[in-house]
Structure formats: structure tokens, C-alpha cells
């Protein structure tokens, strides 16, 4: 069986794509680092943005002024199982418009927007009559790609984020690095199999998929908690706060890229990211 994954922008000046087929069903949908091409080819360059003095992701080229144009990523991901449209404004005010067909995931994405102060739009349809797995995965892959696009060359950002969020008896610590190197360590111990209709195994899979396409190093550690809803919500809140720290500008850095990020991000902007099913 052959599955074709496409990842496109809804904006004429946004992303371009080249479809590619992947045999043997679904592929993992990771960011392509050197010598790992597969899936659908996504180009993140934008001549219109460049002529307007904006980075390939909407970040200002004039980093002396951190109040430049908003950094926005917008992605449409279409596969055999799902149709996902994501738009994220990293310099937003916490607005959320999320309709995934998975009520608990909508609630978590609302937390991402509210606590990260990102404007998050997610519209998704998928084969949730089977289960939530494909939709959960593809939404996370698209969010990670939108983050990657929105971050652009990452000049002047803090890069690192660290936050611990409590929710009643639960407490979760998140540490992340916008390094260009995908890694997830997830130390959650969720006691029940479901919250509402949502399979709690999908929490780790959500973050793994997001990490794969955003090129993020992410550590999630549960410090306390007995209630599954509280543990998961504390995780998303801590993630949102840590991501907000990492994406904000460091005025003292004066538009430079944290050293280790530079080497990895040079291969992204103006070139290509590979995704697939």
C-alpha cells in the first residue's frame, strides 16, 4: 500500500511542496536532518517575506527592534487518514480556535495558547471513528512544523525554557531547548487508560511527534500527581510556559543565534524540511 503525504501552506507566499510517496503504510513524520530524506518535501523560503525584511518565518531581520512583525507559522497537512490545518502566531495574545474532533485535545491546545500567549488555530478532521491515534499524531506533526516555520533563523531568542506547573495534587516540570536536535524524555506516570474518550498513551506520542518536526529537545518530568486529567493538563501548561520563555527575544543577545542552534538551523531555512506518513 502506498500513502502520499502532502504538507502545504494556504498562503500564496507561504510554503511550497513536492509530493512523495511512502511505501509500507505510515512513516514517522520526522524532521529531516542531514541524509534522512523521506516523505513530502516542504520548502520554507518566501521571496515576499524576504523583500519585506522579514525572515523566512515572519521573524524580523532587524533584531534590534524585538517588536517587529509577528512570527507566524501556517501549515496544512493532508494524508489518507487526516486533513489538518494549523496556524500559530508566536507573538500572539493567547487566542485559541481549536476543533480537532477530540474534545480533551482541544482543551489541551487551549492551554498551549493561553499559557504560552500564542495565537493557535487548529482545524482537523480524521478517522477518529477508528481511534484518535492518527489525528493526534498529525496535529502534533503540523504544530511542530508551524513552530519551526514561525521560529525561522531563531536569531535573538532565549532558546532555553524551564517551567514547573502545579495543578492541585499534580506537578510537572518541563525543560526544553530549541536546538534543532529532536529528543524527547517523557517521565509521566498517568494512572488511567483514558481521560474522557482520549487514550492517555497518546500524550507521549503527541509530544514525540511535535519534537520530531520542530527539532526540539524536550524533557517532561512528573514530580507529583494521582489524577490523570491534572497530570496531563499540568504537562501542557508547563510546556506552554517553557516554550514561551524559549521563543521570546533576549535583548542582550542583539539578534545573534545561540551557537549550537546556528549549525542545525542553517540547514532548515531556505532549504527544505521533510515530512511524511
Amino acid at each position: 500500500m502506498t500513502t502520499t503525504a502532502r504538507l502545504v501552506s494556504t498562503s500564496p507566499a507561504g510554503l511550497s511542496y513536492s509530493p512523495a510517496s511512502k511505501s509500507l503504510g505510515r512513516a514517522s513524520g520526522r524532521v529531516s536532518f542531514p541524509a534522512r530524506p523521506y516523505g513530502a518535501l516542504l520548502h520554507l523560503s518566501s521571496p515576499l517575506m524576504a523583500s519585506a525584511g522579514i525572515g523566512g518565518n515572519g521573524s524580523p531581520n532587524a533584531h534590534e527592534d524585538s517588536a517587529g512583525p509577528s512570527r507566524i507559522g501556517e501549515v496544512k497537512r493532508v494524508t489518507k487518514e487526516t486533513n489538518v490545518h494549523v496556524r500559530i502566531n508566536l507573538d500572539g495574545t493567547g487566542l485559541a480556535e481549536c476543533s480537532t474532533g477530540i474534545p480533551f485535545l482541544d482543551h489541551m491546545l487551549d492551554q498551549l495558547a493561553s499559557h504560552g500567549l500564542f495565537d493557535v488555530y487548529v482545524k482537523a478532521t480524521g478517522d477518529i471513528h477508528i481511534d484518535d491515534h492518527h489525528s493526534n499524531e498529525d496535529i502534533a506533526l503540523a504544530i511542530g512544523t508551524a513552530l519551526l516555520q514561525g521560529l525561522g533563523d531563531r536569531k535573538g531568542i532565549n532558546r532555553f525554557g524551564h517551567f514547573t506547573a502545579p495543578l492541585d495534587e499534580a506537578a510537572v516540570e518541563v525543560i526544553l531547548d530549541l536546538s534543532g536536535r529532536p529528543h524527547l524524555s517523557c517521565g509521566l506516570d498517568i494512572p488511567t487508560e483514558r481521560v474522557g474518550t482520549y487514550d492517555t498513551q497518546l500524550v507521549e506520542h503527541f509530544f514525540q511527534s511535535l519534537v520530531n518536526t520542530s527539532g526540539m529537545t524536550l524533557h517532561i518530568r512528573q514530580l507529583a500527581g494521582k489524577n490523570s486529567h491534572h497530570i496531563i493538563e499540568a504537562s501542557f501548561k508547563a510546556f506552554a510556559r517553557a516554550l514561551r520563555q524559549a521563543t521570546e527575544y533576549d535583548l542582550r543577545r542583539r539578534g545573534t543565534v545561540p551557537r549550537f542552534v546556528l549549525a542545525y538551523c542553517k540547514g532548515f531555512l531556505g532549504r527544505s524540511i521533510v515530512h511524511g506518513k
Side-chain angles (χ1 to χ4, degrees), residues 168-199:
D168 295 348
E169 89 298 341
V172 176
E173 179 184 35
V174 168
I175 307 169
L176 63 83
D177 178 8
L178 300 177
S179 60
R181 301 185 299 273
H183 174 82
L184 174 67
S185 293
C186 185
L188 296 178
D189 183 14
I190 304 171
T192 64
E193 293 183 358
R194 294 188 180 276
V195 175
T197 61
Y198 186 73
D199 183 350

PDB file of all heavy atoms in Angstrom, residues 168-199:
ATOM      1  N   ASP A 168      -3.462  21.344  41.373  1.00  0.00           N
ATOM      2  CA  ASP A 168      -3.905  20.610  42.558  1.00  0.00           C
ATOM      3  C   ASP A 168      -2.780  19.680  43.046  1.00  0.00           C
ATOM      4  O   ASP A 168      -1.695  20.136  43.341  1.00  0.00           O
ATOM      5  CB  ASP A 168      -5.200  19.871  42.273  1.00  0.00           C
ATOM      6  CG  ASP A 168      -6.352  20.843  41.981  1.00  0.00           C
ATOM      7  OD1 ASP A 168      -6.192  22.052  42.228  1.00  0.00           O
ATOM      8  OD2 ASP A 168      -7.399  20.377  41.513  1.00  0.00           O
ATOM      9  N   GLU A 169      -3.037  18.375  43.089  1.00  0.00           N
ATOM     10  CA  GLU A 169      -2.031  17.461  43.635  1.00  0.00           C
ATOM     11  C   GLU A 169      -0.913  17.141  42.651  1.00  0.00           C
ATOM     12  O   GLU A 169       0.111  16.546  43.010  1.00  0.00           O
ATOM     13  CB  GLU A 169      -2.703  16.156  44.090  1.00  0.00           C
ATOM     14  CG  GLU A 169      -2.826  15.053  43.049  1.00  0.00           C
ATOM     15  CD  GLU A 169      -3.660  15.386  41.820  1.00  0.00           C
ATOM     16  OE1 GLU A 169      -4.465  16.351  41.874  1.00  0.00           O
ATOM     17  OE2 GLU A 169      -3.521  14.695  40.803  1.00  0.00           O
ATOM     18  N   ALA A 170      -1.094  17.521  41.380  1.00  0.00           N
ATOM     19  CA  ALA A 170      -0.125  17.199  40.333  1.00  0.00           C
ATOM     20  C   ALA A 170       0.875  18.333  40.151  1.00  0.00           C
ATOM     21  O   ALA A 170       0.542  19.513  40.331  1.00  0.00           O
ATOM     22  CB  ALA A 170      -0.847  16.919  39.018  1.00  0.00           C
ATOM     23  N   ALA A 171       2.098  17.964  39.781  1.00  0.00           N
ATOM     24  CA  ALA A 171       3.131  18.942  39.437  1.00  0.00           C
ATOM     25  C   ALA A 171       4.021  18.322  38.372  1.00  0.00           C
ATOM     26  O   ALA A 171       4.449  17.170  38.499  1.00  0.00           O
ATOM     27  CB  ALA A 171       3.961  19.335  40.658  1.00  0.00           C
ATOM     28  N   VAL A 172       4.275  19.086  37.313  1.00  0.00           N
ATOM     29  CA  VAL A 172       5.073  18.587  36.193  1.00  0.00           C
ATOM     30  C   VAL A 172       6.109  19.633  35.815  1.00  0.00           C
ATOM     31  O   VAL A 172       5.801  20.819  35.697  1.00  0.00           O
ATOM     32  CB  VAL A 172       4.186  18.253  34.969  1.00  0.00           C
ATOM     33  CG1 VAL A 172       5.052  17.821  33.785  1.00  0.00           C
ATOM     34  CG2 VAL A 172       3.173  17.163  35.318  1.00  0.00           C
ATOM     35  N   GLU A 173       7.338  19.177  35.608  1.00  0.00           N
ATOM     36  CA  GLU A 173       8.451  20.038  35.212  1.00  0.00           C
ATOM     37  C   GLU A 173       8.769  19.797  33.737  1.00  0.00           C
ATOM     38  O   GLU A 173       8.847  18.655  33.279  1.00  0.00           O
ATOM     39  CB  GLU A 173       9.684  19.721  36.061  1.00  0.00           C
ATOM     40  CG  GLU A 173      10.910  20.545  35.708  1.00  0.00           C
ATOM     41  CD  GLU A 173      12.132  20.127  36.507  1.00  0.00           C
ATOM     42  OE1 GLU A 173      12.272  18.907  36.784  1.00  0.00           O
ATOM     43  OE2 GLU A 173      12.942  21.000  36.863  1.00  0.00           O
ATOM     44  N   VAL A 174       8.954  20.898  32.990  1.00  0.00           N
ATOM     45  CA  VAL A 174       9.327  20.814  31.582  1.00  0.00           C
ATOM     46  C   VAL A 174      10.589  21.630  31.354  1.00  0.00           C
ATOM     47  O   VAL A 174      10.682  22.784  31.784  1.00  0.00           O
ATOM     48  CB  VAL A 174       8.197  21.321  30.660  1.00  0.00           C
ATOM     49  CG1 VAL A 174       8.712  21.507  29.229  1.00  0.00           C
ATOM     50  CG2 VAL A 174       7.020  20.350  30.670  1.00  0.00           C
ATOM     51  N   ILE A 175      11.555  21.023  30.696  1.00  0.00           N
ATOM     52  CA  ILE A 175      12.786  21.695  30.285  1.00  0.00           C
ATOM     53  C   ILE A 175      12.912  21.489  28.780  1.00  0.00           C
ATOM     54  O   ILE A 175      12.774  20.361  28.291  1.00  0.00           O
ATOM     55  CB  ILE A 175      14.015  21.106  30.991  1.00  0.00           C
ATOM     56  CG1 ILE A 175      13.827  21.095  32.505  1.00  0.00           C
ATOM     57  CG2 ILE A 175      15.282  21.861  30.614  1.00  0.00           C
ATOM     58  CD1 ILE A 175      14.873  20.283  33.246  1.00  0.00           C
ATOM     59  N   LEU A 176      13.169  22.559  28.024  1.00  0.00           N
ATOM     60  CA  LEU A 176      13.281  22.402  26.579  1.00  0.00           C
ATOM     61  C   LEU A 176      14.372  23.288  26.001  1.00  0.00           C
ATOM     62  O   LEU A 176      14.770  24.289  26.593  1.00  0.00           O
ATOM     63  CB  LEU A 176      11.940  22.652  25.889  1.00  0.00           C
ATOM     64  CG  LEU A 176      11.276  24.023  25.973  1.00  0.00           C
ATOM     65  CD1 LEU A 176      11.826  24.988  24.929  1.00  0.00           C
ATOM     66  CD2 LEU A 176       9.770  23.883  25.816  1.00  0.00           C
ATOM     67  N   ASP A 177      14.826  22.886  24.843  1.00  0.00           N
ATOM     68  CA  ASP A 177      15.894  23.572  24.128  1.00  0.00           C
ATOM     69  C   ASP A 177      15.518  23.580  22.650  1.00  0.00           C
ATOM     70  O   ASP A 177      15.323  22.520  22.047  1.00  0.00           O
ATOM     71  CB  ASP A 177      17.215  22.823  24.351  1.00  0.00           C
ATOM     72  CG  ASP A 177      18.397  23.430  23.611  1.00  0.00           C
ATOM     73  OD1 ASP A 177      18.251  24.525  23.033  1.00  0.00           O
ATOM     74  OD2 ASP A 177      19.472  22.796  23.611  1.00  0.00           O
ATOM     75  N   LEU A 178      15.396  24.763  22.072  1.00  0.00           N
ATOM     76  CA  LEU A 178      15.091  24.892  20.643  1.00  0.00           C
ATOM     77  C   LEU A 178      16.398  24.759  19.871  1.00  0.00           C
ATOM     78  O   LEU A 178      16.891  25.684  19.237  1.00  0.00           O
ATOM     79  CB  LEU A 178      14.400  26.221  20.372  1.00  0.00           C
ATOM     80  CG  LEU A 178      13.080  26.415  21.123  1.00  0.00           C
ATOM     81  CD1 LEU A 178      12.503  27.803  20.857  1.00  0.00           C
ATOM     82  CD2 LEU A 178      12.072  25.331  20.740  1.00  0.00           C
ATOM     83  N   SER A 179      16.942  23.573  19.917  1.00  0.00           N
ATOM     84  CA  SER A 179      18.313  23.305  19.497  1.00  0.00           C
ATOM     85  C   SER A 179      18.431  22.903  18.038  1.00  0.00           C
ATOM     86  O   SER A 179      19.515  22.941  17.471  1.00  0.00           O
ATOM     87  CB  SER A 179      18.881  22.168  20.350  1.00  0.00           C
ATOM     88  OG  SER A 179      18.097  20.997  20.180  1.00  0.00           O
ATOM     89  N   GLY A 180      17.340  22.452  17.429  1.00  0.00           N
ATOM     90  CA  GLY A 180      17.426  21.835  16.111  1.00  0.00           C
ATOM     91  C   GLY A 180      17.666  20.337  16.192  1.00  0.00           C
ATOM     92  O   GLY A 180      17.741  19.666  15.171  1.00  0.00           O
ATOM     93  N   ARG A 181      17.774  19.797  17.410  1.00  0.00           N
ATOM     94  CA  ARG A 181      18.015  18.368  17.587  1.00  0.00           C
ATOM     95  C   ARG A 181      16.805  17.743  18.285  1.00  0.00           C
ATOM     96  O   ARG A 181      16.530  18.064  19.440  1.00  0.00           O
ATOM     97  CB  ARG A 181      19.279  18.144  18.425  1.00  0.00           C
ATOM     98  CG  ARG A 181      20.528  18.746  17.824  1.00  0.00           C
ATOM     99  CD  ARG A 181      21.775  18.386  18.641  1.00  0.00           C
ATOM    100  NE  ARG A 181      21.695  18.877  20.007  1.00  0.00           N
ATOM    101  CZ  ARG A 181      22.074  20.106  20.381  1.00  0.00           C
ATOM    102  NH1 ARG A 181      22.504  20.974  19.488  1.00  0.00           N
ATOM    103  NH2 ARG A 181      21.999  20.482  21.652  1.00  0.00           N
ATOM    104  N   PRO A 182      16.065  16.858  17.625  1.00  0.00           N
ATOM    105  CA  PRO A 182      14.852  16.299  18.230  1.00  0.00           C
ATOM    106  C   PRO A 182      15.173  15.221  19.258  1.00  0.00           C
ATOM    107  O   PRO A 182      15.869  14.246  18.982  1.00  0.00           O
ATOM    108  CB  PRO A 182      14.099  15.708  17.033  1.00  0.00           C
ATOM    109  CG  PRO A 182      15.171  15.364  16.058  1.00  0.00           C
ATOM    110  CD  PRO A 182      16.262  16.381  16.233  1.00  0.00           C
ATOM    111  N   HIS A 183      14.665  15.429  20.460  1.00  0.00           N
ATOM    112  CA  HIS A 183      14.815  14.426  21.512  1.00  0.00           C
ATOM    113  C   HIS A 183      13.688  14.625  22.518  1.00  0.00           C
ATOM    114  O   HIS A 183      13.378  15.742  22.908  1.00  0.00           O
ATOM    115  CB  HIS A 183      16.158  14.553  22.229  1.00  0.00           C
ATOM    116  CG  HIS A 183      16.261  13.628  23.410  1.00  0.00           C
ATOM    117  ND1 HIS A 183      16.598  12.292  23.276  1.00  0.00           N
ATOM    118  CD2 HIS A 183      16.034  13.830  24.739  1.00  0.00           C
ATOM    119  CE1 HIS A 183      16.587  11.726  24.475  1.00  0.00           C
ATOM    120  NE2 HIS A 183      16.243  12.620  25.374  1.00  0.00           N
ATOM    121  N   LEU A 184      13.095  13.519  22.943  1.00  0.00           N
ATOM    122  CA  LEU A 184      12.067  13.563  23.978  1.00  0.00           C
ATOM    123  C   LEU A 184      12.416  12.585  25.092  1.00  0.00           C
ATOM    124  O   LEU A 184      12.698  11.413  24.846  1.00  0.00           O
ATOM    125  CB  LEU A 184      10.694  13.190  23.413  1.00  0.00           C
ATOM    126  CG  LEU A 184       9.567  13.060  24.462  1.00  0.00           C
ATOM    127  CD1 LEU A 184       9.240  14.411  25.091  1.00  0.00           C
ATOM    128  CD2 LEU A 184       8.325  12.427  23.864  1.00  0.00           C
ATOM    129  N   SER A 185      12.399  13.076  26.321  1.00  0.00           N
ATOM    130  CA  SER A 185      12.400  12.235  27.507  1.00  0.00           C
ATOM    131  C   SER A 185      11.108  12.535  28.257  1.00  0.00           C
ATOM    132  O   SER A 185      10.910  13.661  28.711  1.00  0.00           O
ATOM    133  CB  SER A 185      13.611  12.528  28.399  1.00  0.00           C
ATOM    134  OG  SER A 185      14.805  12.142  27.766  1.00  0.00           O
ATOM    135  N   CYS A 186      10.229  11.563  28.340  1.00  0.00           N
ATOM    136  CA  CYS A 186       8.904  11.787  28.925  1.00  0.00           C
ATOM    137  C   CYS A 186       8.738  10.879  30.133  1.00  0.00           C
ATOM    138  O   CYS A 186       8.634   9.657  29.995  1.00  0.00           O
ATOM    139  CB  CYS A 186       7.813  11.513  27.889  1.00  0.00           C
ATOM    140  SG  CYS A 186       6.140  11.888  28.461  1.00  0.00           S
ATOM    141  N   GLY A 187       8.712  11.478  31.325  1.00  0.00           N
ATOM    142  CA  GLY A 187       8.598  10.711  32.549  1.00  0.00           C
ATOM    143  C   GLY A 187       7.253  10.880  33.218  1.00  0.00           C
ATOM    144  O   GLY A 187       7.185  11.238  34.396  1.00  0.00           O
ATOM    145  N   LEU A 188       6.184  10.653  32.465  1.00  0.00           N
ATOM    146  CA  LEU A 188       4.833  10.758  33.010  1.00  0.00           C
ATOM    147  C   LEU A 188       4.320   9.386  33.428  1.00  0.00           C
ATOM    148  O   LEU A 188       4.500   8.399  32.713  1.00  0.00           O
ATOM    149  CB  LEU A 188       3.876  11.372  31.979  1.00  0.00           C
ATOM    150  CG  LEU A 188       4.150  12.810  31.555  1.00  0.00           C
ATOM    151  CD1 LEU A 188       3.138  13.253  30.502  1.00  0.00           C
ATOM    152  CD2 LEU A 188       4.128  13.761  32.749  1.00  0.00           C
ATOM    153  N   ASP A 189       3.666   9.343  34.578  1.00  0.00           N
ATOM    154  CA  ASP A 189       3.042   8.118  35.065  1.00  0.00           C
ATOM    155  C   ASP A 189       1.549   8.407  35.226  1.00  0.00           C
ATOM    156  O   ASP A 189       1.086   8.839  36.273  1.00  0.00           O
ATOM    157  CB  ASP A 189       3.666   7.713  36.395  1.00  0.00           C
ATOM    158  CG  ASP A 189       3.100   6.400  36.933  1.00  0.00           C
ATOM    159  OD1 ASP A 189       2.432   5.684  36.147  1.00  0.00           O
ATOM    160  OD2 ASP A 189       3.314   6.106  38.120  1.00  0.00           O
ATOM    161  N   ILE A 190       0.813   8.179  34.141  1.00  0.00           N
ATOM    162  CA  ILE A 190      -0.613   8.503  34.101  1.00  0.00           C
ATOM    163  C   ILE A 190      -1.397   7.265  34.510  1.00  0.00           C
ATOM    164  O   ILE A 190      -1.309   6.216  33.858  1.00  0.00           O
ATOM    165  CB  ILE A 190      -1.016   8.972  32.688  1.00  0.00           C
ATOM    166  CG1 ILE A 190      -0.150  10.164  32.264  1.00  0.00           C
ATOM    167  CG2 ILE A 190      -2.494   9.344  32.647  1.00  0.00           C
ATOM    168  CD1 ILE A 190      -0.322  10.574  30.817  1.00  0.00           C
ATOM    169  N   PRO A 191      -2.169   7.326  35.586  1.00  0.00           N
ATOM    170  CA  PRO A 191      -2.723   6.100  36.176  1.00  0.00           C
ATOM    171  C   PRO A 191      -3.875   5.465  35.421  1.00  0.00           C
ATOM    172  O   PRO A 191      -4.133   4.275  35.602  1.00  0.00           O
ATOM    173  CB  PRO A 191      -3.169   6.560  37.568  1.00  0.00           C
ATOM    174  CG  PRO A 191      -3.392   8.027  37.442  1.00  0.00           C
ATOM    175  CD  PRO A 191      -2.404   8.509  36.433  1.00  0.00           C
ATOM    176  N   THR A 192      -4.606   6.220  34.606  1.00  0.00           N
ATOM    177  CA  THR A 192      -5.759   5.637  33.916  1.00  0.00           C
ATOM    178  C   THR A 192      -5.492   5.545  32.422  1.00  0.00           C
ATOM    179  O   THR A 192      -4.656   6.271  31.875  1.00  0.00           O
ATOM    180  CB  THR A 192      -7.035   6.466  34.150  1.00  0.00           C
ATOM    181  OG1 THR A 192      -6.866   7.776  33.579  1.00  0.00           O
ATOM    182  CG2 THR A 192      -7.322   6.600  35.639  1.00  0.00           C
ATOM    183  N   GLU A 193      -6.226   4.665  31.748  1.00  0.00           N
ATOM    184  CA  GLU A 193      -6.040   4.478  30.315  1.00  0.00           C
ATOM    185  C   GLU A 193      -6.683   5.579  29.491  1.00  0.00           C
ATOM    186  O   GLU A 193      -6.267   5.834  28.360  1.00  0.00           O
ATOM    187  CB  GLU A 193      -6.598   3.123  29.888  1.00  0.00           C
ATOM    188  CG  GLU A 193      -5.842   1.937  30.446  1.00  0.00           C
ATOM    189  CD  GLU A 193      -6.384   0.621  29.935  1.00  0.00           C
ATOM    190  OE1 GLU A 193      -7.382   0.648  29.168  1.00  0.00           O
ATOM    191  OE2 GLU A 193      -5.813  -0.430  30.285  1.00  0.00           O
ATOM    192  N   ARG A 194      -7.700   6.257  30.058  1.00  0.00           N
ATOM    193  CA  ARG A 194      -8.401   7.287  29.308  1.00  0.00           C
ATOM    194  C   ARG A 194      -8.769   8.457  30.201  1.00  0.00           C
ATOM    195  O   ARG A 194      -8.978   8.305  31.396  1.00  0.00           O
ATOM    196  CB  ARG A 194      -9.677   6.726  28.657  1.00  0.00           C
ATOM    197  CG  ARG A 194      -9.404   5.689  27.593  1.00  0.00           C
ATOM    198  CD  ARG A 194     -10.645   5.280  26.814  1.00  0.00           C
ATOM    199  NE  ARG A 194     -10.310   4.295  25.818  1.00  0.00           N
ATOM    200  CZ  ARG A 194      -9.837   4.586  24.598  1.00  0.00           C
ATOM    201  NH1 ARG A 194      -9.677   5.850  24.237  1.00  0.00           N
ATOM    202  NH2 ARG A 194      -9.539   3.626  23.745  1.00  0.00           N
ATOM    203  N   VAL A 195      -8.817   9.636  29.575  1.00  0.00           N
ATOM    204  CA  VAL A 195      -9.453  10.810  30.162  1.00  0.00           C
ATOM    205  C   VAL A 195     -10.569  11.186  29.203  1.00  0.00           C
ATOM    206  O   VAL A 195     -10.307  11.596  28.067  1.00  0.00           O
ATOM    207  CB  VAL A 195      -8.470  11.971  30.347  1.00  0.00           C
ATOM    208  CG1 VAL A 195      -9.204  13.208  30.834  1.00  0.00           C
ATOM    209  CG2 VAL A 195      -7.367  11.596  31.332  1.00  0.00           C
ATOM    210  N   GLY A 196     -11.801  11.047  29.638  1.00  0.00           N
ATOM    211  CA  GLY A 196     -12.901  11.142  28.682  1.00  0.00           C
ATOM    212  C   GLY A 196     -12.756  10.018  27.684  1.00  0.00           C
ATOM    213  O   GLY A 196     -12.662   8.844  28.047  1.00  0.00           O
ATOM    214  N   THR A 197     -12.714  10.367  26.394  1.00  0.00           N
ATOM    215  CA  THR A 197     -12.505   9.364  25.351  1.00  0.00           C
ATOM    216  C   THR A 197     -11.058   9.310  24.885  1.00  0.00           C
ATOM    217  O   THR A 197     -10.707   8.511  24.019  1.00  0.00           O
ATOM    218  CB  THR A 197     -13.404   9.666  24.132  1.00  0.00           C
ATOM    219  OG1 THR A 197     -13.066  10.952  23.600  1.00  0.00           O
ATOM    220  CG2 THR A 197     -14.873   9.655  24.536  1.00  0.00           C
ATOM    221  N   TYR A 198     -10.198  10.157  25.457  1.00  0.00           N
ATOM    222  CA  TYR A 198      -8.818  10.299  24.982  1.00  0.00           C
ATOM    223  C   TYR A 198      -7.919   9.240  25.616  1.00  0.00           C
ATOM    224  O   TYR A 198      -7.853   9.105  26.846  1.00  0.00           O
ATOM    225  CB  TYR A 198      -8.312  11.697  25.332  1.00  0.00           C
ATOM    226  CG  TYR A 198      -6.947  12.045  24.775  1.00  0.00           C
ATOM    227  CD1 TYR A 198      -6.779  12.304  23.419  1.00  0.00           C
ATOM    228  CD2 TYR A 198      -5.839  12.150  25.614  1.00  0.00           C
ATOM    229  CE1 TYR A 198      -5.546  12.650  22.906  1.00  0.00           C
ATOM    230  CE2 TYR A 198      -4.603  12.501  25.111  1.00  0.00           C
ATOM    231  CZ  TYR A 198      -4.454  12.743  23.763  1.00  0.00           C
ATOM    232  OH  TYR A 198      -3.227  13.087  23.255  1.00  0.00           O
ATOM    233  N   ASP A 199      -7.222   8.493  24.782  1.00  0.00           N
ATOM    234  CA  ASP A 199      -6.285   7.467  25.224  1.00  0.00           C
ATOM    235  C   ASP A 199      -5.039   8.158  25.777  1.00  0.00           C
ATOM    236  O   ASP A 199      -4.341   8.872  25.057  1.00  0.00           O
ATOM    237  CB  ASP A 199      -5.928   6.579  24.034  1.00  0.00           C
ATOM    238  CG  ASP A 199      -5.006   5.424  24.399  1.00  0.00           C
ATOM    239  OD1 ASP A 199      -4.471   5.397  25.527  1.00  0.00           O
ATOM    240  OD2 ASP A 199      -4.799   4.552  23.533  1.00  0.00           O
TER     241      ASP A 199
END
